[in-house]
Amino acid sequence: MSLIQLTIKGISYSQTQSGAYALVLSEIEGTRTLPIIIGAFEAQSIAIALETEIRPPRPLTHDLFKTFSDTFNISVKEVIIHKLVDGVFFSSLICEKDGNEEVIDTRTSDAIAIAVRFNAPIFTYENILDKAGIYLKAEEEMALESNMDTDIVPIEISDEKKKTSTNFSSLTLQELHNKLNNAVTNENYELAAKIRDEISKRS
Protein backbone atom coordinates (compact mmCIF):
# COMPACT_ATOMS: atom_id res chain seq x y z
CA MET A 1 0.00 0.00 0.00
CA SER A 2 1.32 3.43 -0.93
CA LEU A 3 1.77 6.12 1.69
CA ILE A 4 0.08 9.52 1.34
CA GLN A 5 1.75 12.52 2.92
CA LEU A 6 -0.37 14.79 5.12
CA THR A 7 0.03 18.28 6.47
CA ILE A 8 -1.64 20.04 9.39
CA LYS A 9 -4.58 22.04 8.11
CA GLY A 10 -5.89 23.40 11.39
CA ILE A 11 -7.10 22.83 14.92
CA SER A 12 -10.59 23.74 16.06
CA TYR A 13 -13.06 22.93 18.82
CA SER A 14 -14.68 19.55 18.35
CA GLN A 15 -18.36 19.83 17.46
CA THR A 16 -19.01 16.28 18.65
CA GLN A 17 -17.07 15.94 21.93
CA SER A 18 -17.13 18.52 24.71
CA GLY A 19 -13.69 19.65 25.85
CA ALA A 20 -11.97 18.04 22.88
CA TYR A 21 -10.48 19.44 19.69
CA ALA A 22 -10.43 18.41 16.06
CA LEU A 23 -7.00 18.22 14.48
CA VAL A 24 -7.51 18.37 10.72
CA LEU A 25 -4.83 16.88 8.48
CA SER A 26 -4.99 17.25 4.71
CA GLU A 27 -3.26 15.34 1.95
CA ILE A 28 -0.55 17.40 0.28
CA GLU A 29 -1.44 16.26 -3.23
CA GLY A 30 -5.21 16.15 -3.02
CA THR A 31 -8.29 17.63 -1.42
CA ARG A 32 -9.20 15.08 1.25
CA THR A 33 -8.82 15.83 4.94
CA LEU A 34 -8.49 13.59 7.96
CA PRO A 35 -10.16 14.94 11.14
CA ILE A 36 -8.79 13.47 14.38
CA ILE A 37 -10.28 14.16 17.82
CA ILE A 38 -7.56 15.02 20.34
CA GLY A 39 -7.39 16.30 23.92
CA ALA A 40 -6.86 19.89 25.03
CA PHE A 41 -3.27 19.33 26.21
CA GLU A 42 -2.20 17.74 22.92
CA ALA A 43 -3.99 20.46 20.93
CA GLN A 44 -2.18 23.14 22.93
CA SER A 45 1.15 21.36 22.49
CA ILE A 46 0.74 21.12 18.72
CA ALA A 47 -0.40 24.75 18.44
CA ILE A 48 2.54 26.03 20.48
CA ALA A 49 5.01 24.00 18.37
CA LEU A 50 3.56 25.63 15.24
CA GLU A 51 3.89 29.11 16.78
CA THR A 52 6.85 31.29 15.80
CA GLU A 53 6.45 34.07 18.36
CA ILE A 54 5.48 32.29 21.57
CA ARG A 55 7.87 29.97 23.36
CA PRO A 56 7.12 28.45 26.77
CA PRO A 57 9.73 29.24 29.44
CA ARG A 58 9.76 25.59 30.53
CA PRO A 59 9.65 22.61 28.17
CA LEU A 60 6.33 20.89 27.61
CA THR A 61 6.29 17.08 27.60
CA HIS A 62 6.81 16.86 23.84
CA ASP A 63 9.63 19.43 24.04
CA LEU A 64 11.26 17.22 26.67
CA PHE A 65 10.96 14.24 24.33
CA LYS A 66 12.71 16.26 21.60
CA THR A 67 15.53 17.34 23.94
CA PHE A 68 15.96 13.78 25.23
CA SER A 69 16.11 12.41 21.69
CA ASP A 70 18.59 15.04 20.53
CA THR A 71 20.80 14.40 23.55
CA PHE A 72 21.06 10.71 22.71
CA ASN A 73 21.23 11.21 18.91
CA ILE A 74 17.82 9.72 18.20
CA SER A 75 15.95 11.21 15.25
CA VAL A 76 12.29 10.85 14.30
CA LYS A 77 12.23 10.22 10.57
CA GLU A 78 8.48 10.10 10.01
CA VAL A 79 5.07 9.42 11.51
CA ILE A 80 2.70 6.89 9.99
CA ILE A 81 -1.00 6.74 10.85
CA HIS A 82 -1.35 3.07 10.04
CA LYS A 83 -4.66 1.85 11.43
CA LEU A 84 -8.22 2.97 12.17
CA VAL A 85 -10.36 0.84 14.48
CA ASP A 86 -13.77 1.93 15.79
CA GLY A 87 -12.94 5.57 15.14
CA VAL A 88 -9.55 5.40 16.90
CA PHE A 89 -6.39 6.11 14.90
CA PHE A 90 -3.20 4.15 15.59
CA SER A 91 0.19 5.60 14.72
CA SER A 92 3.89 4.82 14.74
CA LEU A 93 7.02 6.88 15.15
CA ILE A 94 9.80 5.77 12.82
CA CYS A 95 12.98 6.53 14.76
CA GLU A 96 16.64 6.15 13.88
CA LYS A 97 19.81 5.94 15.96
CA ASP A 98 23.26 5.08 14.59
CA GLY A 99 21.72 3.83 11.36
CA ASN A 100 19.32 1.47 13.13
CA GLU A 101 15.61 2.04 12.61
CA GLU A 102 12.97 1.37 15.26
CA VAL A 103 9.17 1.57 15.07
CA ILE A 104 7.43 2.85 18.22
CA ASP A 105 3.67 2.69 18.78
CA THR A 106 2.14 5.98 19.88
CA ARG A 107 -1.11 7.87 20.16
CA THR A 108 -1.71 9.88 17.01
CA SER A 109 -1.95 13.19 18.90
CA ASP A 110 1.44 12.58 20.55
CA ALA A 111 2.97 11.45 17.27
CA ILE A 112 1.94 14.66 15.53
CA ALA A 113 3.08 16.88 18.41
CA ILE A 114 6.47 15.17 18.16
CA ALA A 115 6.55 15.26 14.34
CA VAL A 116 6.10 19.04 14.35
CA ARG A 117 9.11 19.42 16.65
CA PHE A 118 11.30 17.19 14.46
CA ASN A 119 9.97 18.60 11.18
CA ALA A 120 9.16 14.99 10.36
CA PRO A 121 6.66 14.17 7.61
CA ILE A 122 3.28 12.64 8.48
CA PHE A 123 1.87 9.81 6.35
CA THR A 124 -1.17 7.59 6.19
CA TYR A 125 -2.47 4.89 3.87
CA GLU A 126 -5.00 5.22 1.07
CA ASN A 127 -7.48 2.87 2.75
CA ILE A 128 -7.53 5.05 5.89
CA LEU A 129 -8.25 8.16 3.84
CA ASP A 130 -10.94 6.23 2.02
CA LYS A 131 -12.59 5.29 5.32
CA ALA A 132 -12.17 8.50 7.29
CA GLY A 133 -11.19 11.22 4.83
CA ILE A 134 -13.63 14.00 4.02
CA TYR A 135 -13.79 16.81 1.51
CA LEU A 136 -13.91 20.17 3.27
CA LYS A 137 -16.29 22.81 2.00
CA ALA A 138 -14.59 26.03 0.93
CA GLU A 139 -15.88 28.04 3.90
CA GLU A 140 -14.73 25.37 6.39
CA GLU A 141 -11.30 25.34 4.78
CA MET A 142 -11.01 29.12 5.02
CA ALA A 143 -12.08 29.04 8.68
CA LEU A 144 -9.43 26.47 9.53
CA GLU A 145 -6.70 28.40 7.72
CA SER A 146 -7.75 31.56 9.52
CA ASN A 147 -7.65 29.69 12.83
CA MET A 148 -4.10 28.51 12.18
CA ASP A 149 -2.98 32.02 11.23
CA THR A 150 -4.34 33.80 14.27
CA ASP A 151 -5.16 31.51 17.16
CA ILE A 152 -3.39 29.37 19.65
CA VAL A 153 -5.78 26.71 20.82
CA PRO A 154 -7.24 28.16 24.03
CA ILE A 155 -7.21 26.48 27.39
CA GLU A 156 -9.47 27.16 30.35
CA ILE A 157 -8.52 30.29 32.29
CA SER A 158 -9.81 31.70 35.54
CA ASP A 159 -12.21 34.62 35.82
CA GLU A 160 -9.38 36.77 37.12
CA LYS A 161 -7.29 36.10 34.03
CA LYS A 162 -10.28 36.76 31.80
CA LYS A 163 -10.68 40.21 33.33
CA THR A 164 -7.08 41.10 32.54
CA SER A 165 -7.30 39.95 28.91
CA THR A 166 -10.45 41.64 27.65
CA ASN A 167 -9.21 44.94 26.20
CA PHE A 168 -5.77 45.90 24.91
CA SER A 169 -6.74 48.81 22.66
CA SER A 170 -5.72 51.42 25.24
CA LEU A 171 -2.18 50.02 25.64
CA THR A 172 0.90 51.17 23.75
CA LEU A 173 2.95 48.73 21.67
CA GLN A 174 5.68 48.72 24.29
CA GLU A 175 3.14 47.90 27.00
CA LEU A 176 1.75 45.11 24.82
CA HIS A 177 5.21 43.62 24.30
CA ASN A 178 5.84 43.74 28.05
CA LYS A 179 2.51 42.02 28.74
CA LEU A 180 3.30 39.41 26.07
CA ASN A 181 6.61 38.59 27.75
CA ASN A 182 4.90 38.34 31.15
CA ALA A 183 2.16 36.08 29.79
CA VAL A 184 4.71 33.69 28.27
CA THR A 185 6.78 33.69 31.47
CA ASN A 186 3.64 32.82 33.45
CA GLU A 187 2.73 30.13 30.88
CA ASN A 188 -0.61 31.81 30.14
CA TYR A 189 -0.59 30.97 26.44
CA GLU A 190 -4.17 31.99 25.71
CA LEU A 191 -3.51 35.49 26.99
CA ALA A 192 -0.22 35.56 25.07
CA ALA A 193 -2.03 34.64 21.85
CA LYS A 194 -4.57 37.45 22.33
CA ILE A 195 -1.84 40.01 22.99
CA ARG A 196 0.10 38.80 19.96
CA ASP A 197 -3.01 39.20 17.82
CA GLU A 198 -3.42 42.80 19.04
CA ILE A 199 0.23 43.52 18.19
CA SER A 200 -0.26 41.99 14.73
CA LYS A 201 -3.29 44.20 14.07
CA ARG A 202 -1.17 47.30 14.59
CA SER A 203 1.72 46.15 12.39
Side-chain angles (χ1 to χ4, degrees), residues 31-67:
T31 57
R32 287 173 296 180
T33 60
L34 199 62
I36 300 172
I37 302 301
I38 62 176
F41 170 78
E42 292 79 9
Q44 186 78 58
S45 181
I46 293 168
I48 287 174
L50 293 170
E51 267 293 324
T52 56
E53 296 180 29
I54 298 174
R55 284 288 171 263
R58 298 184 300 167
L60 302 177
T61 303
H62 300 109
D63 298 320
L64 176 61
F65 181 94
K66 174 70 162 61
T67 302

Coordinates of all heavy atoms in Angstrom, one line a residue, residues 31-67:
T31 N -7.3 16.7 -2.1 CA -8.3 17.6 -1.4 C -8.9 17.0 -0.2 O -9.8 17.6 0.5 CB -9.4 18.1 -2.4 OG1 -10.1 16.9 -2.9 CG2 -8.8 18.9 -3.5
R32 N -8.6 15.7 0.1 CA -9.2 15.1 1.3 C -8.6 15.5 2.6 O -7.4 15.9 2.6 CB -9.1 13.6 1.1 CG -10.0 13.0 0.1 CD -9.8 11.5 -0.1 NE -8.4 11.3 -0.7 CZ -7.9 10.1 -0.9 NH1 -8.7 9.0 -0.7 NH2 -6.7 9.9 -1.4
T33 N -9.3 15.5 3.6 CA -8.8 15.8 4.9 C -9.1 14.7 5.9 O -10.1 13.9 5.7 CB -9.4 17.1 5.5 OG1 -10.9 17.0 5.6 CG2 -9.1 18.3 4.6
L34 N -8.3 14.6 7.0 CA -8.5 13.6 8.0 C -8.7 14.3 9.3 O -7.7 14.8 9.9 CB -7.2 12.7 8.0 CG -7.3 11.3 8.6 CD1 -8.3 10.5 7.9 CD2 -6.0 10.7 8.6
P35 N -9.9 14.3 9.8 CA -10.2 14.9 11.1 C -9.9 13.9 12.3 O -10.4 12.8 12.2 CB -11.6 15.3 11.1 CG -12.2 14.4 10.1 CD -11.2 13.9 9.2
I36 N -9.1 14.3 13.3 CA -8.8 13.5 14.4 C -9.1 14.2 15.7 O -8.7 15.3 15.9 CB -7.3 13.1 14.3 CG1 -7.0 12.4 13.0 CG2 -6.9 12.2 15.5 CD1 -5.5 12.1 12.8
I37 N -9.9 13.6 16.5 CA -10.3 14.2 17.8 C -9.1 14.0 18.8 O -8.6 12.8 19.0 CB -11.6 13.5 18.4 CG1 -12.7 13.7 17.4 CG2 -11.9 14.1 19.7 CD1 -13.1 15.1 17.1
I38 N -8.7 15.1 19.4 CA -7.6 15.0 20.3 C -7.9 15.8 21.6 O -8.9 16.6 21.6 CB -6.3 15.6 19.7 CG1 -6.4 17.1 19.4 CG2 -5.8 14.7 18.5 CD1 -5.1 17.7 18.9
G39 N -7.2 15.6 22.7 CA -7.4 16.3 23.9 C -6.9 17.7 23.9 O -6.1 18.1 23.0
A40 N -7.3 18.5 24.9 CA -6.9 19.9 25.0 C -5.4 20.0 25.2 O -4.8 20.9 24.6 CB -7.6 20.5 26.2
F41 N -4.7 19.2 26.0 CA -3.3 19.3 26.2 C -2.5 19.1 24.9 O -1.6 19.9 24.6 CB -2.8 18.3 27.3 CG -1.3 18.3 27.4 CD1 -0.6 19.3 28.0 CD2 -0.6 17.2 26.8 CE1 0.8 19.2 28.1 CE2 0.8 17.2 26.8 CZ 1.5 18.2 27.5
E42 N -2.9 18.0 24.2 CA -2.2 17.7 22.9 C -2.4 18.8 21.9 O -1.5 19.2 21.1 CB -2.6 16.4 22.4 CG -2.2 15.2 23.2 CD -3.1 15.0 24.5 OE1 -4.1 15.6 24.6 OE2 -2.7 14.1 25.3
A43 N -3.7 19.4 21.9 CA -4.0 20.5 20.9 C -3.1 21.7 21.2 O -2.6 22.3 20.3 CB -5.5 20.8 21.0
Q44 N -3.0 22.0 22.5 CA -2.2 23.1 22.9 C -0.7 22.9 22.6 O 0.0 23.8 22.1 CB -2.3 23.4 24.4 CG -1.6 24.6 24.9 CD -2.4 25.9 24.7 OE1 -3.6 26.0 25.1 NE2 -1.8 26.8 24.0
S45 N -0.2 21.7 22.8 CA 1.1 21.4 22.5 C 1.5 21.5 21.0 O 2.5 22.0 20.6 CB 1.5 19.9 23.0 OG 2.8 19.6 22.7
I46 N 0.5 21.0 20.2 CA 0.7 21.1 18.7 C 0.7 22.6 18.3 O 1.5 23.0 17.5 CB -0.3 20.3 18.0 CG1 -0.1 18.8 18.2 CG2 -0.3 20.6 16.5 CD1 -1.3 17.9 17.8
A47 N -0.3 23.3 18.8 CA -0.4 24.7 18.4 C 0.8 25.5 18.8 O 1.3 26.4 18.1 CB -1.7 25.3 19.1
I48 N 1.4 25.3 20.0 CA 2.5 26.0 20.5 C 3.8 25.7 19.6 O 4.6 26.5 19.3 CB 2.8 25.7 22.0 CG1 1.8 26.5 22.8 CG2 4.2 26.2 22.4 CD1 1.8 26.2 24.3
A49 N 3.9 24.4 19.2 CA 5.0 24.0 18.4 C 4.9 24.7 17.0 O 6.0 24.9 16.4 CB 5.0 22.5 18.2
L50 N 3.7 25.0 16.5 CA 3.6 25.6 15.2 C 3.8 27.1 15.3 O 3.9 27.8 14.3 CB 2.2 25.4 14.7 CG 1.9 23.9 14.3 CD1 0.4 23.7 14.0 CD2 2.7 23.5 13.1
E51 N 3.7 27.7 16.6 CA 3.9 29.1 16.8 C 5.3 29.5 16.5 O 6.3 28.8 16.8 CB 3.5 29.5 18.2 CG 2.1 29.9 18.4 CD 1.8 31.2 17.7 OE1 2.7 32.1 17.7 OE2 0.7 31.3 17.2
T52 N 5.5 30.7 16.0 CA 6.8 31.3 15.8 C 7.2 32.3 16.8 O 8.4 32.6 17.1 CB 7.0 31.9 14.4 OG1 5.9 32.9 14.2 CG2 6.8 30.8 13.3
E53 N 6.2 33.0 17.5 CA 6.5 34.1 18.4 C 6.4 33.7 19.8 O 7.0 34.4 20.7 CB 5.5 35.2 18.1 CG 5.6 35.8 16.7 CD 4.6 36.9 16.5 OE1 4.2 37.6 17.5 OE2 4.1 37.1 15.4
I54 N 5.7 32.6 20.2 CA 5.5 32.3 21.6 C 6.2 31.0 21.9 O 6.0 30.0 21.3 CB 4.0 32.1 21.9 CG1 3.2 33.4 21.6 CG2 3.8 31.6 23.3 CD1 1.8 33.3 21.8
R55 N 7.1 31.1 22.9 CA 7.9 30.0 23.4 C 7.7 29.8 24.9 O 7.9 30.8 25.6 CB 9.4 30.1 23.0 CG 9.7 29.9 21.5 CD 9.6 28.4 21.2 NE 9.7 28.2 19.8 CZ 8.6 28.0 19.0 NH1 7.4 28.1 19.5 NH2 8.7 27.7 17.7
P56 N 7.3 28.6 25.3 CA 7.1 28.4 26.8 C 8.5 28.5 27.5 O 9.5 28.1 27.0 CB 6.5 27.0 26.9 CG 6.9 26.4 25.6 CD 7.0 27.4 24.6
P57 N 8.5 29.1 28.7 CA 9.7 29.2 29.4 C 10.2 27.9 29.9 O 11.4 27.7 30.2 CB 9.3 30.2 30.6 CG 7.9 30.0 30.8 CD 7.3 29.7 29.4
R58 N 9.3 26.9 30.1 CA 9.8 25.6 30.5 C 9.3 24.6 29.5 O 8.2 24.8 28.8 CB 9.1 25.2 31.9 CG 9.6 26.1 33.0 CD 9.0 25.6 34.3 NE 7.5 25.6 34.3 CZ 6.7 25.0 35.2 NH1 7.3 24.3 36.1 NH2 5.4 25.0 35.1
P59 N 10.0 23.5 29.2 CA 9.7 22.6 28.2 C 8.4 21.8 28.5 O 8.2 21.4 29.6 CB 10.9 21.6 28.1 CG 11.5 21.7 29.4 CD 11.3 23.2 29.9
L60 N 7.5 21.8 27.5 CA 6.3 20.9 27.6 C 6.8 19.4 27.4 O 8.0 19.2 27.1 CB 5.3 21.2 26.5 CG 4.8 22.7 26.5 CD1 3.8 22.9 25.4 CD2 4.1 23.0 27.9
T61 N 5.9 18.5 27.7 CA 6.3 17.1 27.6 C 6.9 16.7 26.3 O 7.9 16.0 26.2 CB 5.1 16.2 27.9 OG1 4.5 16.5 29.2 CG2 5.4 14.7 27.9
H62 N 6.3 17.2 25.2 CA 6.8 16.9 23.8 C 8.1 17.6 23.6 O 9.0 17.1 22.8 CB 5.8 17.2 22.8 CG 4.5 16.4 23.0 ND1 3.3 17.0 23.4 CD2 4.2 15.1 22.8 CE1 2.4 16.1 23.5 NE2 2.9 14.9 23.2
D63 N 8.3 18.8 24.2 CA 9.6 19.4 24.0 C 10.7 18.6 24.8 O 11.8 18.5 24.3 CB 9.6 20.8 24.6 CG 8.6 21.7 23.9 OD1 8.5 21.7 22.7 OD2 7.9 22.5 24.6
L64 N 10.3 18.1 25.9 CA 11.3 17.2 26.7 C 11.7 16.0 25.9 O 12.8 15.6 25.8 CB 10.6 16.8 28.0 CG 11.4 15.9 28.9 CD1 12.8 16.5 29.3 CD2 10.6 15.5 30.1
F65 N 10.7 15.4 25.2 CA 11.0 14.2 24.3 C 12.0 14.6 23.2 O 12.9 13.9 23.0 CB 9.7 13.7 23.7 CG 9.9 12.5 22.8 CD1 9.7 11.2 23.3 CD2 10.2 12.7 21.5 CE1 9.9 10.1 22.5 CE2 10.4 11.6 20.7 CZ 10.2 10.3 21.2
K66 N 11.8 15.8 22.7 CA 12.7 16.3 21.6 C 14.1 16.5 22.2 O 15.1 16.0 21.6 CB 12.2 17.6 21.0 CG 13.1 18.2 20.0 CD 13.2 17.5 18.7 CE 13.7 18.3 17.5 NZ 15.1 18.8 17.7
T67 N 14.2 17.1 23.3 CA 15.5 17.3 23.9 C 16.2 16.0 24.3 O 17.4 15.8 24.1 CB 15.4 18.2 25.2 OG1 14.7 19.4 24.8 CG2 16.7 18.5 25.8

